[in-house]
Amino acid sequence: EAGVTQFPSHSVIEKGQTVTLRCDPISGHDNLYWYRRVMGKEIKFLLHFVKESKQDESGMPNNRFLAERTGGTYSTLKVQPAELEDSGVYFCASSVRTGGSPLHFGNGTRLTVT
Amino acid sequence: GDSVTQMEGPVTLSEEAFLTINCTYTATGYPSLFWYVQYPGEGLQLLLKATKADDKGSNKGFEATYRKETTSFHLEKGSVQVSDSAVYFCALSNAGNNRKLIWGLGTSLAVNP
């Protein structure tokens, strides 16, 4: 089966611009998660979708971040406007069920805001 | 709140050396514990896990034992290979939090031939 895919793999943008990251989970996986690793810090949870519904968005840093999962398939994470501190690696993961089933991670999108 | 503390890297070893990467945690209740690995240019992969006290997770020659009395989940391997060079992350997940993982900082391991 195809794994979790993320686009783009790298993105370099200027402060104030908008960037949209995309995640395609494994087909049939209802659960989709976004995580972020800022340089030198821990990977942090951002949010969790079950199908198209946001189950938990407690980790979203502020209202410049907008995540969607229309139709319960792929998800996008938009940052608008981007700030320097948004630089980092954004990981997406999916799983079949909420508890007990393993998380499958994508390779991540490295975002650099200059 | 819940947290994970991992030994700082980078760790550099020679091939066939013994590896220990320390991981301790703070959590309410009875979390599940994980080790993830990220090889160069790849995504995070689950290496092993343990879901209750005294459980031992193992995979690819790596082992870690869930020690509730010391709140630890140290990763060990008896003889590392060059192909084990990667970044290793310790993480926990508490019941009822929808698999929201709490992560350590990660430890970079470089194994030299």
Side-chain angles (χ1 to χ4, degrees), chain A residues 46-93:
Chain A
L46 296 178
L47 85 159
H48 169 210
F49 284 99
V50 177
K51 298 185 180 179
E52 66 275 10
S53 299
K54 291 176 185 174
Q55 188 77 10
D56 181 352
E57 52 183 328
S58 61
M60 294 289 265
N62 52 61
N63 59 10
R64 295 185 293 103
F65 288 75
L66 175 64
E68 294 180 324
R69 193 184 181 194
T70 306
T73 54
Y74 70 90
S75 174
T76 58
L77 180 65
K78 180 190 286 189
V79 185
Q80 179 182 30
E83 298 289 343
L84 298 178
E85 64 264 25
D86 301 333
S87 297
V89 181
Y90 291 76
F91 292 103
C92 175

Side-chain angles (χ1 to χ4, degrees), chain B residues 58-74:
Chain B
S58 61
N59 186 25
K60 299 182 181 181
F62 292 88
E63 292 184 339
T65 301
Y66 189 141
R67 302 283 189 201
K68 190 165 177 62
E69 64 276 14
T70 55
T71 62
S72 65
F73 193 55
H74 304 322

Side-chain angles (χ1 to χ4, degrees), chain B residues 12 33 56 60 63 79 83 86 98:
Chain B
T12 303
L33 302 175
K56 177 186 283 188
K60 299 182 181 181
E63 292 184 339
S79 176
S83 58
N98 295 319

